[in-house]
Amino acid sequence: MQQGALGLSSGLAYASAKQATASEVMRLAEVLAEHDGIYTTHMRTEFEAILQAMEEAFETGKHARVPVVISHLKCAGAGNWGRTVEVLDLMETTSQHQDVSCDCYPYSASSSTLDLKQVTEDFDIFITWSEAKPEYAGQVLADIATQMGLPLLEAAKALQPAGAVYHCMDEADVERVLKYRLTMVGSDGLPNDPHPHPRLWGTFPKVLSHYCRERELFPLEEAVHKMTGMSATRYNLLNRGVIKEGAFADIVIFDSRK
């Protein structure tokens, strides 16, 4: 933090961090307040227990006395579709007495390594790469399973290690989170992936073209603010994200009609 770090981030859903207890994360976060830091988290789950995961994140921020940002907020899994109403209600209620917010990318599919716990027939799983069976990259897991003559889970095991795009979200949920007042727009992705998720490079153009111009979720000024000034302020990036005398000239000129 003394060398310029903005805060602490956690990825509690991933194998590298899921063993960390809530109390351990709280202890790590304790140092943030004295440096005006922030706590951001890819929560412990975005599936059925998402509200409990949010409560854990908020409790961590409350303990450390720092702002909390939930990274790429979503309701994942077909059984969870529509629950952004509950999720955003909890966010709004908490925001009345605690500094909390979130970011979101404008896609209804997520991307990561092929996680056997997420293998399901409820939605398409697109395989981006496979070390064991590279010839199957670029196909949907269900089609691969048919070609292999195996059940879905067994086919997934045969591909390991592998990468995947999960079409695990409902579009209405994506829109609901995007237009929420405390949501910043954020890109996400793995640039070294053989088949990167389009959110890596397409996030901001898609917000402007599809969600702002075509869907009219919010006016252009609000869309730009969600991608610039709002996030710069949230992360204490001084003189960024605004056009004013003395600020850094990080200016993008674009045609809003194209």
PDB file of all heavy atoms in Angstrom, residues 3 14 33 45 50 52 90 98 117 120 154 158 164 173 202-203 219 231-233 242 245 256:
ATOM      1  N   GLN A   3       3.578   1.627  -1.434  1.00  0.00           N
ATOM      2  CA  GLN A   3       4.186   1.767  -2.761  1.00  0.00           C
ATOM      3  C   GLN A   3       3.160   2.073  -3.846  1.00  0.00           C
ATOM      4  O   GLN A   3       3.490   2.085  -5.025  1.00  0.00           O
ATOM      5  CB  GLN A   3       4.964   0.493  -3.109  1.00  0.00           C
ATOM      6  CG  GLN A   3       6.153   0.252  -2.194  1.00  0.00           C
ATOM      7  CD  GLN A   3       6.799  -1.108  -2.419  1.00  0.00           C
ATOM      8  OE1 GLN A   3       6.286  -1.932  -3.174  1.00  0.00           O
ATOM      9  NE2 GLN A   3       7.914  -1.344  -1.754  1.00  0.00           N
ATOM     10  N   TYR A  14     -12.222 -19.170  -6.420  1.00  0.00           N
ATOM     11  CA  TYR A  14     -11.203 -19.919  -7.148  1.00  0.00           C
ATOM     12  C   TYR A  14     -10.395 -20.843  -6.242  1.00  0.00           C
ATOM     13  O   TYR A  14     -10.250 -20.584  -5.040  1.00  0.00           O
ATOM     14  CB  TYR A  14     -10.263 -18.948  -7.876  1.00  0.00           C
ATOM     15  CG  TYR A  14     -10.954 -18.180  -8.964  1.00  0.00           C
ATOM     16  CD1 TYR A  14     -11.323 -16.850  -8.787  1.00  0.00           C
ATOM     17  CD2 TYR A  14     -11.268 -18.793 -10.185  1.00  0.00           C
ATOM     18  CE1 TYR A  14     -11.975 -16.144  -9.790  1.00  0.00           C
ATOM     19  CE2 TYR A  14     -11.907 -18.104 -11.187  1.00  0.00           C
ATOM     20  CZ  TYR A  14     -12.267 -16.781 -10.987  1.00  0.00           C
ATOM     21  OH  TYR A  14     -12.913 -16.089 -11.982  1.00  0.00           O
ATOM     22  N   ALA A  33      -7.505   0.602   5.770  1.00  0.00           N
ATOM     23  CA  ALA A  33      -8.096   1.883   6.168  1.00  0.00           C
ATOM     24  C   ALA A  33      -7.055   2.979   6.354  1.00  0.00           C
ATOM     25  O   ALA A  33      -7.263   4.122   5.931  1.00  0.00           O
ATOM     26  CB  ALA A  33      -8.921   1.711   7.440  1.00  0.00           C
ATOM     27  N   THR A  45     -19.258 -17.173  -3.982  1.00  0.00           N
ATOM     28  CA  THR A  45     -20.130 -17.831  -4.950  1.00  0.00           C
ATOM     29  C   THR A  45     -21.044 -16.800  -5.602  1.00  0.00           C
ATOM     30  O   THR A  45     -21.369 -15.766  -4.992  1.00  0.00           O
ATOM     31  CB  THR A  45     -20.989 -18.935  -4.304  1.00  0.00           C
ATOM     32  OG1 THR A  45     -21.781 -19.573  -5.320  1.00  0.00           O
ATOM     33  CG2 THR A  45     -21.918 -18.370  -3.244  1.00  0.00           C
ATOM     34  N   ILE A  50     -25.604 -16.705  -3.166  1.00  0.00           N
ATOM     35  CA  ILE A  50     -25.023 -15.398  -3.498  1.00  0.00           C
ATOM     36  C   ILE A  50     -25.298 -14.347  -2.431  1.00  0.00           C
ATOM     37  O   ILE A  50     -24.429 -13.511  -2.134  1.00  0.00           O
ATOM     38  CB  ILE A  50     -25.519 -14.912  -4.882  1.00  0.00           C
ATOM     39  CG1 ILE A  50     -24.804 -13.608  -5.275  1.00  0.00           C
ATOM     40  CG2 ILE A  50     -27.029 -14.774  -4.927  1.00  0.00           C
ATOM     41  CD1 ILE A  50     -25.077 -13.168  -6.691  1.00  0.00           C
ATOM     42  N   GLN A  52     -25.581 -14.743   0.805  1.00  0.00           N
ATOM     43  CA  GLN A  52     -24.657 -14.979   1.921  1.00  0.00           C
ATOM     44  C   GLN A  52     -23.247 -14.534   1.549  1.00  0.00           C
ATOM     45  O   GLN A  52     -22.520 -13.994   2.398  1.00  0.00           O
ATOM     46  CB  GLN A  52     -24.663 -16.462   2.298  1.00  0.00           C
ATOM     47  CG  GLN A  52     -25.972 -16.939   2.903  1.00  0.00           C
ATOM     48  CD  GLN A  52     -26.920 -17.534   1.876  1.00  0.00           C
ATOM     49  OE1 GLN A  52     -27.093 -16.979   0.785  1.00  0.00           O
ATOM     50  NE2 GLN A  52     -27.532 -18.666   2.211  1.00  0.00           N
ATOM     51  N   LEU A  90     -30.501  -6.026  -1.717  1.00  0.00           N
ATOM     52  CA  LEU A  90     -29.540  -6.127  -0.623  1.00  0.00           C
ATOM     53  C   LEU A  90     -28.446  -5.073  -0.770  1.00  0.00           C
ATOM     54  O   LEU A  90     -28.043  -4.438   0.217  1.00  0.00           O
ATOM     55  CB  LEU A  90     -28.917  -7.527  -0.587  1.00  0.00           C
ATOM     56  CG  LEU A  90     -27.815  -7.752   0.454  1.00  0.00           C
ATOM     57  CD1 LEU A  90     -28.304  -7.439   1.859  1.00  0.00           C
ATOM     58  CD2 LEU A  90     -27.287  -9.186   0.366  1.00  0.00           C
ATOM     59  N   GLN A  98     -23.402   1.813   4.504  1.00  0.00           N
ATOM     60  CA  GLN A  98     -22.043   1.354   4.226  1.00  0.00           C
ATOM     61  C   GLN A  98     -21.675   1.712   2.792  1.00  0.00           C
ATOM     62  O   GLN A  98     -22.537   1.755   1.901  1.00  0.00           O
ATOM     63  CB  GLN A  98     -21.969  -0.165   4.435  1.00  0.00           C
ATOM     64  CG  GLN A  98     -20.559  -0.739   4.429  1.00  0.00           C
ATOM     65  CD  GLN A  98     -20.556  -2.230   4.747  1.00  0.00           C
ATOM     66  OE1 GLN A  98     -21.552  -2.791   5.238  1.00  0.00           O
ATOM     67  NE2 GLN A  98     -19.449  -2.906   4.476  1.00  0.00           N
ATOM     68  N   LYS A 117     -17.450 -28.530 -11.406  1.00  0.00           N
ATOM     69  CA  LYS A 117     -18.602 -28.223 -10.574  1.00  0.00           C
ATOM     70  C   LYS A 117     -19.638 -27.386 -11.315  1.00  0.00           C
ATOM     71  O   LYS A 117     -20.785 -27.281 -10.886  1.00  0.00           O
ATOM     72  CB  LYS A 117     -18.153 -27.493  -9.304  1.00  0.00           C
ATOM     73  CG  LYS A 117     -17.323 -28.359  -8.361  1.00  0.00           C
ATOM     74  CD  LYS A 117     -16.935 -27.590  -7.111  1.00  0.00           C
ATOM     75  CE  LYS A 117     -16.105 -28.459  -6.167  1.00  0.00           C
ATOM     76  NZ  LYS A 117     -15.696 -27.700  -4.952  1.00  0.00           N
ATOM     77  N   THR A 120     -23.049 -28.571 -16.557  1.00  0.00           N
ATOM     78  CA  THR A 120     -24.497 -28.762 -16.465  1.00  0.00           C
ATOM     79  C   THR A 120     -25.099 -28.815 -17.863  1.00  0.00           C
ATOM     80  O   THR A 120     -24.495 -28.332 -18.827  1.00  0.00           O
ATOM     81  CB  THR A 120     -25.145 -27.604 -15.669  1.00  0.00           C
ATOM     82  OG1 THR A 120     -26.559 -27.777 -15.653  1.00  0.00           O
ATOM     83  CG2 THR A 120     -24.818 -26.259 -16.305  1.00  0.00           C
ATOM     84  N   GLU A 154     -18.213 -36.727 -17.868  1.00  0.00           N
ATOM     85  CA  GLU A 154     -17.063 -37.550 -18.256  1.00  0.00           C
ATOM     86  C   GLU A 154     -16.310 -36.916 -19.421  1.00  0.00           C
ATOM     87  O   GLU A 154     -15.074 -36.971 -19.489  1.00  0.00           O
ATOM     88  CB  GLU A 154     -17.526 -38.964 -18.618  1.00  0.00           C
ATOM     89  CG  GLU A 154     -18.079 -39.746 -17.439  1.00  0.00           C
ATOM     90  CD  GLU A 154     -17.099 -39.810 -16.280  1.00  0.00           C
ATOM     91  OE1 GLU A 154     -15.928 -40.158 -16.505  1.00  0.00           O
ATOM     92  OE2 GLU A 154     -17.519 -39.511 -15.140  1.00  0.00           O
ATOM     93  N   ALA A 158     -12.383 -35.611 -19.520  1.00  0.00           N
ATOM     94  CA  ALA A 158     -11.445 -36.029 -20.564  1.00  0.00           C
ATOM     95  C   ALA A 158     -10.730 -34.837 -21.197  1.00  0.00           C
ATOM     96  O   ALA A 158      -9.632 -34.985 -21.740  1.00  0.00           O
ATOM     97  CB  ALA A 158     -12.184 -36.826 -21.644  1.00  0.00           C
ATOM     98  N   ALA A 164     -13.190 -22.555 -20.662  1.00  0.00           N
ATOM     99  CA  ALA A 164     -14.590 -22.591 -21.075  1.00  0.00           C
ATOM    100  C   ALA A 164     -15.273 -21.241 -20.941  1.00  0.00           C
ATOM    101  O   ALA A 164     -14.904 -20.422 -20.092  1.00  0.00           O
ATOM    102  CB  ALA A 164     -15.352 -23.623 -20.233  1.00  0.00           C
ATOM    103  N   ASP A 173     -31.159 -10.095 -16.261  1.00  0.00           N
ATOM    104  CA  ASP A 173     -30.333  -9.842 -15.079  1.00  0.00           C
ATOM    105  C   ASP A 173     -29.158  -8.935 -15.426  1.00  0.00           C
ATOM    106  O   ASP A 173     -28.814  -8.024 -14.665  1.00  0.00           O
ATOM    107  CB  ASP A 173     -29.805 -11.161 -14.502  1.00  0.00           C
ATOM    108  CG  ASP A 173     -30.855 -11.917 -13.700  1.00  0.00           C
ATOM    109  OD1 ASP A 173     -31.690 -11.265 -13.057  1.00  0.00           O
ATOM    110  OD2 ASP A 173     -30.833 -13.163 -13.727  1.00  0.00           O
ATOM    111  N   GLY A 202     -14.339  -5.959 -26.044  1.00  0.00           N
ATOM    112  CA  GLY A 202     -15.598  -5.438 -26.561  1.00  0.00           C
ATOM    113  C   GLY A 202     -16.522  -4.800 -25.537  1.00  0.00           C
ATOM    114  O   GLY A 202     -17.598  -4.318 -25.898  1.00  0.00           O
ATOM    115  N   THR A 203     -16.120  -4.785 -24.269  1.00  0.00           N
ATOM    116  CA  THR A 203     -17.008  -4.303 -23.211  1.00  0.00           C
ATOM    117  C   THR A 203     -17.520  -2.891 -23.457  1.00  0.00           C
ATOM    118  O   THR A 203     -18.725  -2.638 -23.469  1.00  0.00           O
ATOM    119  CB  THR A 203     -16.301  -4.381 -21.850  1.00  0.00           C
ATOM    120  OG1 THR A 203     -16.246  -5.747 -21.436  1.00  0.00           O
ATOM    121  CG2 THR A 203     -17.038  -3.584 -20.787  1.00  0.00           C
ATOM    122  N   PRO A 219     -28.828   7.151 -20.668  1.00  0.00           N
ATOM    123  CA  PRO A 219     -28.348   8.127 -21.650  1.00  0.00           C
ATOM    124  C   PRO A 219     -26.846   7.999 -21.860  1.00  0.00           C
ATOM    125  O   PRO A 219     -26.132   7.408 -21.033  1.00  0.00           O
ATOM    126  CB  PRO A 219     -28.715   9.469 -21.025  1.00  0.00           C
ATOM    127  CG  PRO A 219     -28.842   9.192 -19.563  1.00  0.00           C
ATOM    128  CD  PRO A 219     -29.339   7.785 -19.445  1.00  0.00           C
ATOM    129  N   SER A 231     -15.697   5.130 -12.015  1.00  0.00           N
ATOM    130  CA  SER A 231     -14.682   4.172 -11.562  1.00  0.00           C
ATOM    131  C   SER A 231     -13.415   4.885 -11.097  1.00  0.00           C
ATOM    132  O   SER A 231     -12.765   4.435 -10.136  1.00  0.00           O
ATOM    133  CB  SER A 231     -14.358   3.169 -12.672  1.00  0.00           C
ATOM    134  OG  SER A 231     -14.187   3.798 -13.906  1.00  0.00           O
ATOM    135  N   ALA A 232     -13.049   6.005 -11.738  1.00  0.00           N
ATOM    136  CA  ALA A 232     -11.863   6.745 -11.306  1.00  0.00           C
ATOM    137  C   ALA A 232     -12.050   7.273  -9.887  1.00  0.00           C
ATOM    138  O   ALA A 232     -11.143   7.192  -9.052  1.00  0.00           O
ATOM    139  CB  ALA A 232     -11.577   7.888 -12.271  1.00  0.00           C
ATOM    140  N   THR A 233     -13.240   7.785  -9.610  1.00  0.00           N
ATOM    141  CA  THR A 233     -13.533   8.279  -8.259  1.00  0.00           C
ATOM    142  C   THR A 233     -13.551   7.135  -7.250  1.00  0.00           C
ATOM    143  O   THR A 233     -13.012   7.246  -6.147  1.00  0.00           O
ATOM    144  CB  THR A 233     -14.893   9.003  -8.241  1.00  0.00           C
ATOM    145  OG1 THR A 233     -14.847  10.107  -9.149  1.00  0.00           O
ATOM    146  CG2 THR A 233     -15.218   9.509  -6.848  1.00  0.00           C
ATOM    147  N   VAL A 242     -12.368  12.491 -15.899  1.00  0.00           N
ATOM    148  CA  VAL A 242     -13.130  13.729 -16.092  1.00  0.00           C
ATOM    149  C   VAL A 242     -12.365  14.637 -17.056  1.00  0.00           C
ATOM    150  O   VAL A 242     -11.149  14.541 -17.187  1.00  0.00           O
ATOM    151  CB  VAL A 242     -13.350  14.479 -14.760  1.00  0.00           C
ATOM    152  CG1 VAL A 242     -14.274  13.698 -13.855  1.00  0.00           C
ATOM    153  CG2 VAL A 242     -12.019  14.750 -14.064  1.00  0.00           C
ATOM    154  N   GLU A 245      -9.645  21.295 -16.603  1.00  0.00           N
ATOM    155  CA  GLU A 245      -8.305  21.870 -16.631  1.00  0.00           C
ATOM    156  C   GLU A 245      -7.449  21.252 -15.536  1.00  0.00           C
ATOM    157  O   GLU A 245      -7.871  21.138 -14.388  1.00  0.00           O
ATOM    158  CB  GLU A 245      -8.383  23.389 -16.436  1.00  0.00           C
ATOM    159  CG  GLU A 245      -7.041  24.091 -16.590  1.00  0.00           C
ATOM    160  CD  GLU A 245      -7.159  25.603 -16.520  1.00  0.00           C
ATOM    161  OE1 GLU A 245      -8.304  26.118 -16.570  1.00  0.00           O
ATOM    162  OE2 GLU A 245      -6.099  26.266 -16.423  1.00  0.00           O
ATOM    163  N   SER A 256     -21.012   8.543 -31.725  1.00  0.00           N
ATOM    164  CA  SER A 256     -22.013   7.804 -30.956  1.00  0.00           C
ATOM    165  C   SER A 256     -23.087   7.168 -31.840  1.00  0.00           C
ATOM    166  O   SER A 256     -23.880   6.351 -31.365  1.00  0.00           O
ATOM    167  CB  SER A 256     -22.673   8.737 -29.933  1.00  0.00           C
ATOM    168  OG  SER A 256     -23.369   9.782 -30.594  1.00  0.00           O
TER     169      SER A 256
END
